[in-house]
Amino acid sequence: MNGWRKSPARFKIGLLIMLVVGLTALCSFVWTPYPPTAIDIASKLQPPSMRHWMGTDHFGRDILSMVMVGSRTSIAVAIAAVAIGIGIGVPIGLLAAERRGLIDDALMRLNDLIFAFPALISAIMITAVFGPGALNAIIAIGIFNIPVFARATRGAALSIWPREYILAARSTGKSDRRITFDHVFPNVSHLLMVQATIQFSLGILAEASLAYVGLGTQPPMPSWGRMLFDAQTMIGVAPHMAIFPGLAIVATVLGLNLFGDGLRDMLDPRASSR
Amino acid sequence: MTLWRSALLALTLVLGSASAHAARSDLVLGVVLEPPHLDPTAGAAAAIDEIVYANVFEGLTRIGANGEVLPALAESWDISDDGRVYTFKLHGKVLFHDGTTFDGEDVKFSLDRARDAKSVNAQKVLFEGIENVEIVDPLTVRITLKQPDGDFLYNMGWGDAVIVAPETAATNKERPVGTGPFKFGNWAKGSQITLLRNTAYWGSQPALEKATFRIIPDPAAATAALLAGDVQAFPVFPSYETVPQFQTDPRFKVVIGTTEGETVLGMNNAKPPFDALKVRQAIAHAIDRKALIDGTMFGFGTPIGSFFPPHHAAYTDLTAKSAYDPELAKKLLAEAGHPQGFKTTLKLPPPVYARRGGEIIAAQLAAIGIEAQIVPLEWAQWLDQVFKGKDYDLTIVSHTEPNDLNIFARDDYYFNYNNPAFKELIKTIAATSDQAQRAELYREAQTVLADDMPAAFLFQLPKTGIWDAGVEGLWENGPIQANDLTNVRWTD
């Protein structure tokens, strides 16, 4: 565990926050203080108390339970969206770096095309066309992760290709494809991990934004973004309805960013000497 | 000198306090939606009538604060014994805002224009029964109907039936010219519309000199505008959750009335399992209206058991026929052959009553085993899929038109409800002019619907009016979409 002691503080804090969020999400599968979708109009808009630690919303639902289950939604959507980005974007980037020339140009111009659209607006467009829901939110966010990973992978891979060990590998008769798998990919993967944490936190924010405009996860499944939407007209009457899901989003995104920053510092020594 | 000085001081004080006590004569009202234009004879948007009805434009008759038919440009009328010929005696000395005289020519022009084949009137059905319009003399008009129509005088009171002048009919969209107590002042698009007192008005002069309708679509901004005093009246306040805040504030008067908006859980009567009466009854009994109104509308709204506004004289309370009883609901569901319940969809248009209400109803239906998947839709999608396409299982919507009991008798309406006896009843009502008899028939029709449950009847949309405590004369209820300013005044 020498690495842990040497790791930067932000990495530790970030990891800690992520663990808390992750465990909360796991915990919500087996236990929440109240059923998160149980409507009890008689106890609506209660401020935080011993019975309801985060108060209740306008339908009398327990906000803590909803925040717990909401974390699950956010994490699941963000992970799936990052997986789409990595699964499609990384091969594209590796292929472009390996083949160069026309294929490289074609793939990268296609990337630029997707990049040219503001991601959130396009995600709204996609969910508006294909209908709201968690699955379409994943696809919409995932599509915009593809060029991000493709570009990052290609850039990193291009800097690997001129290295001498690649030349050495080539001289042993390995094909370009083999070299990509055996040498290029392992050497860019640390960079992709950093990129993945960034995209993960962006995915959490995107999911919340889509849910906020009514295009993400649908009721009765709790979602942080929709909790904020429901809270906005009641902010004068029941501020706790906005504060807790808002804090959950802030904490998760902060945790991921600290973690990602720390990870980059550890994996790329040049960046830490800022 | 000191005497003079003190006398002068006293005089200043007296004058000063007198002017401070002179009643204000301007009012800024908040409205949520901006009208597409200002011609009520060429558009269905309620936002048009909310500005011009009874203020700028008048018809032969008008609808009063409690939904009653009152004389307007026609001071009186005679109905022939067979109920087909209406002879209207018009007010003399009525001028349009552009100075031209109003007479029978304008009535004939307006009605013929509305029922013309090329008419763009949004409610052509109001004029369908008219056979012809004749001018007997400049101040007498005779209208012959194809058949007796008990609703005719009411229909002539709609905003779509106002009288316009041939000279200005084409330009009313941007510069409305009517006969009302207020004339059009100015329209700053996206911001506000100003009306000014019509000093040449034929009736009694309104107390207000100037009325400004400010367009405020955002509920939070509406609250802020009222609290800051920028807007002194919000006849239909859009944010139910902040109403209690105003109720405890002595600076404001909060008036909760009813509207013509019957909110229903629409069911596709032609599609199994909703074609079975017991399923529809089970759904109706599964809904706890009190919890629904508390959770959706923050307690504002009147439970209804049929399709009729509670402020109407012929209203009868039938909520007991679909009282909240989940056990009975489960039993009915089992009897209908669905002991385990079933899966269905609930398509919801954007208004908050539908979106919030839908979540609560889905939870209440889940309690009896019906799993309703919520599908939120934009208005255009809702109109296309549900209203026109009839591609839905369940939906929630408020029917805000006045006098719309007959939608359940329409052949091609989204409920897909077909009850020949009810259709016959609606026909009889339409042909009956006697008010007592009509009320009796209306009660009968309400009972038929409460028994047959073509939709689950939820609640009447409230009219949440909030205005400065010093303002009086605004309508408590909304029997028609209007903000009648004729009797509005400041009391202090």
Side-chain angles (χ1 to χ4, degrees):
Chain A
M1 290 311 285
N2 201 22
W4 171 252
R5 227 178 301 138
K6 269 201 264 171
S7 64
R10 55 185 132 187
F11 176 80
K12 291 176 192 159
I13 299 172
L15 189 65
L16 194 71
I17 296 177
M18 279 173 60
L19 276 175
V20 171
V21 174
L23 287 176
T24 313
L26 286 177
C27 172
S28 75
F29 279 101
V30 287
W31 179 83
T32 52
Y34 293 83
T37 56
I39 290 177
D40 175 16
I41 304 292
S43 52
K44 68 168 189 230
L45 296 182
Q46 285 181 6
S49 64
M50 285 311 287
R51 280 174 54 106
H52 298 279
W53 289 4
M54 294 185 181
T56 60
D57 75 350
H58 56 303
F59 290 160
R61 292 177 294 201
D62 180 55
I63 292 183
L64 175 59
S65 308
M66 293 177 76
V67 167
M68 285 175 73
V69 177
S71 67
R72 195 155 102 193
T73 317
S74 289
I75 292 173
V77 169
I79 286 184
V82 169
I84 292 179
I86 291 180
I88 302 177
V90 172
I92 288 179
L94 289 173
L95 183 71
E98 176 192 312
R99 302 290 281 271
R100 307 302 310 269
L102 200 61
I103 290 187
D104 184 19
D105 276 347
L107 287 173
M108 288 304 114
R109 293 303 80 75
L110 202 66
N111 261 344
D112 292 345
L113 197 69
I114 301 181
F115 246 142
F117 289 93
L120 191 61
I121 305 277
S122 313
I124 290 174
M125 190 181 77
I126 288 171
T127 41
V129 170
F130 294 104
L135 189 66
N136 287 336
I138 289 171
I139 296 171
I141 303 168
I143 285 181
F144 288 91
N145 278 335
I146 296 174
V148 174
F149 281 102
R151 195 175 274 192
T153 310
R154 173 179 175 272
L158 282 181
S159 72
I160 302 289
W161 275 101
R163 300 276 171 92
E164 283 168 355
Y165 59 84
I166 302 286
L167 200 63
R170 218 173 234 163
S171 66
T172 65
K174 276 194 180 176
S175 70
D176 280 0
R177 185 61 41 87
R178 265 272 42 98
I179 292 172
T180 294
F181 280 114
D182 290 352
H183 303 287
V184 180
F185 179 65
N187 280 299
V188 301
S189 55
H190 67 278
L191 218 150
L192 296 179
M193 271 184 69
V194 175
Q195 191 70 44
T197 58
I198 295 171
Q199 293 312 115
F200 192 86
S201 72
L202 290 178
I204 300 251
L205 283 178
E207 194 277 333
S209 311
L210 283 180
Y212 178 83
V213 296
L215 295 170
T217 325
Q218 289 306 308
M221 190 68 185
S223 143
W224 292 345
R226 220 189 43 260
M227 289 173 78
L228 280 183
F229 173 79
D230 285 338
Q232 68 171 356
T233 56
M234 284 169 240
I235 196 120
V237 206
H240 63 271
M241 272 181 74
I243 290 172
F244 292 109
L247 277 179
I249 296 175
V250 170
T252 311
V253 172
L254 184 71
L256 280 164
N257 283 357
L258 288 175
F259 177 80
D261 263 9
L263 198 64
R264 190 193 53 207
D265 290 354
M266 282 160 68
L267 297 174
D268 185 358
R270 275 169 305 171
S272 63
S273 54
R274 274 179 295 176
Chain B
M1 190 64 185
T2 38
L3 184 72
W4 275 113
R5 206 174 264 177
S6 45
L8 198 66
L9 190 70
L11 189 70
T12 327
L13 279 174
V14 168
L15 284 178
S17 60
S19 67
H21 273 112
R24 282 178 71 174
S25 62
D26 66 308
L27 182 69
V28 183
L29 298 99
V31 289
V32 174
L33 293 176
E34 177 161 37
H37 57 77
L38 292 173
D39 184 355
T41 67
I48 303 172
D49 283 326
E50 281 171 7
I51 292 179
V52 300
Y53 186 79
N55 299 328
V56 176
F57 288 107
E58 298 170 299
L60 290 174
T61 62
R62 53 161 298 176
I63 311 302
N66 297 310
E68 72 279 27
V69 177
L70 299 172
L73 286 174
E75 59 180 27
S76 63
W77 49 80
D78 283 315
I79 307 172
S80 66
D81 290 337
D82 66 355
R84 280 186 57 222
V85 182
Y86 285 69
T87 310
F88 291 95
K89 186 84 190 91
L90 308 178
H91 273 287
K93 298 189 185 132
V94 176
L95 294 178
F96 281 97
H97 299 152
D98 64 349
T100 54
T101 321
F102 158 84
D103 60 22
E105 291 282 355
D106 301 301
V107 176
K108 182 170 168 55
F109 167 78
S110 299
L111 296 182
D112 285 351
R113 172 173 172 262
R115 64 202 186 93
D116 188 83
K118 283 180 294 186
S119 161
V120 290
N121 199 294
Q123 301 288 346
K124 276 173 142 173
V125 63
L126 297 176
F127 313 95
E128 254 170 19
I130 298 176
E131 193 169 273
N132 68 52
V133 182
E134 300 159 87
I135 303 166
V136 180
D137 66 55
L139 293 180
T140 311
V141 174
R142 183 160 59 217
I143 300 177
T144 309
L145 305 182
K146 291 169 188 157
Q147 62 233 4
D149 180 0
D151 285 329
F152 184 65
L153 290 174
Y154 189 94
N155 289 350
M156 290 299 103
W158 277 58
D160 305 82
V162 296
I163 304 303
V164 297
E167 300 85 355
T168 47
T171 53
N172 277 341
K173 283 187 176 181
E174 292 301 316
R175 296 202 61 81
V177 172
T179 57
F182 291 91
K183 56 187 184 193
F184 173 73
N186 171 47
W187 182 0
K189 292 262 163 83
S191 166
Q192 60 184 30
I193 297 168
T194 308
L195 305 182
L196 302 168
R197 183 197 279 165
N198 170 18
T199 46
Y201 186 52
W202 57 272
S204 53
Q205 287 276 317
L208 295 179
E209 254 172 79
K210 182 176 159 191
T212 306
F213 290 90
R214 192 159 295 160
I215 297 134
I216 309 179
D218 178 44
T223 309
L226 266 175
L227 286 174
D230 293 345
V231 164
Q232 297 103 41
F234 229 112
V236 186
F237 189 68
S239 169
Y240 307 113
E241 47 267 44
T242 36
V243 171
Q245 187 179 339
F246 290 99
Q247 281 174 319
T248 54
D249 191 331
R251 291 177 297 160
F252 298 98
K253 217 185 294 181
V254 175
V255 181
I256 310 292
T258 56
T259 65
E260 287 286 331
E262 293 88 7
T263 312
V264 303
L265 174 70
M267 303 188 233
N268 194 340
N269 283 249
K271 188 175 174 184
F274 308 102
D275 53 344
L277 174 62
K278 284 195 169 157
V279 171
R280 299 201 298 269
Q281 284 173 330
I283 289 174
H285 283 295
I287 295 169
D288 180 357
R289 293 195 191 88
K290 167 133 189 10
L292 178 68
I293 295 169
D294 280 353
T296 311
M297 313 293 293
F298 283 72
F300 303 111
T302 316
I304 50 170
S306 185
F307 198 77
F308 216 66
H311 56 246
H312 198 288
Y315 172 76
T316 167
D317 185 351
L318 295 163
T319 46
K321 282 184 184 279
S322 47
Y324 174 53
D325 187 346
E327 287 314 310
L328 176 62
K330 273 186 211 160
K331 198 171 136 252
L332 285 163
L333 210 52
E335 283 171 18
H338 303 279
Q340 304 302 319
F342 52 85
K343 282 190 183 183
T344 185
T345 59
L346 175 56
K347 292 192 172 172
L348 303 174
V352 69
Y353 66 75
R355 292 281 169 91
R356 269 192 214 151
E359 281 195 62
I360 296 180
I361 286 182
Q364 292 176 349
L365 291 180
I368 66 160
I370 299 175
E371 197 182 309
Q373 190 209 338
I374 289 172
V375 185
L377 299 173
E378 292 308 311
W379 268 124
Q381 292 174 303
W382 185 88
L383 285 170
D384 198 45
Q385 291 181 25
V386 180
F387 195 72
K388 291 200 196 99
K390 302 176 197 67
D391 172 22
Y392 78 106
D393 299 332
L394 299 170
T395 188
I396 297 177
V397 76
S398 211
H399 289 265
T400 54
E401 292 80 15
N403 208 14
D404 54 358
L405 185 62
N406 58 13
I407 58 175
F408 286 95
R410 288 190 198 162
D411 281 326
D412 197 32
Y413 211 63
Y414 77 103
F415 299 119
N416 276 328
Y417 174 62
N418 191 356
N419 179 346
F422 186 78
K423 285 181 184 166
E424 206 47 52
L425 194 55
I426 290 295
K427 258 190 214 156
T428 318
I429 292 175
T432 309
S433 316
D434 180 70
Q435 291 306 312
Q437 220 176 328
R438 280 173 74 86
E440 199 41 57
L441 290 165
Y442 270 135
R443 283 189 202 106
E444 198 182 317
Q446 291 170 58
T447 313
V448 171
L449 291 184
D451 285 331
D452 223 9
M453 228 81 85
F457 305 104
L458 306 175
F459 54 84
Q460 199 74 13
L461 275 190
K463 183 178 166 307
T464 42
I466 301 179
W467 45 84
D468 191 293
V471 173
E472 65 171 31
L474 283 159
W475 284 9
E476 175 188 342
N477 297 321
I480 193 165
Q481 284 139 342
N483 291 309
D484 180 4
L485 300 175
T486 336
N487 295 315
V488 176
R489 62 185 71 243
W490 287 88
T491 52
D492 52 354

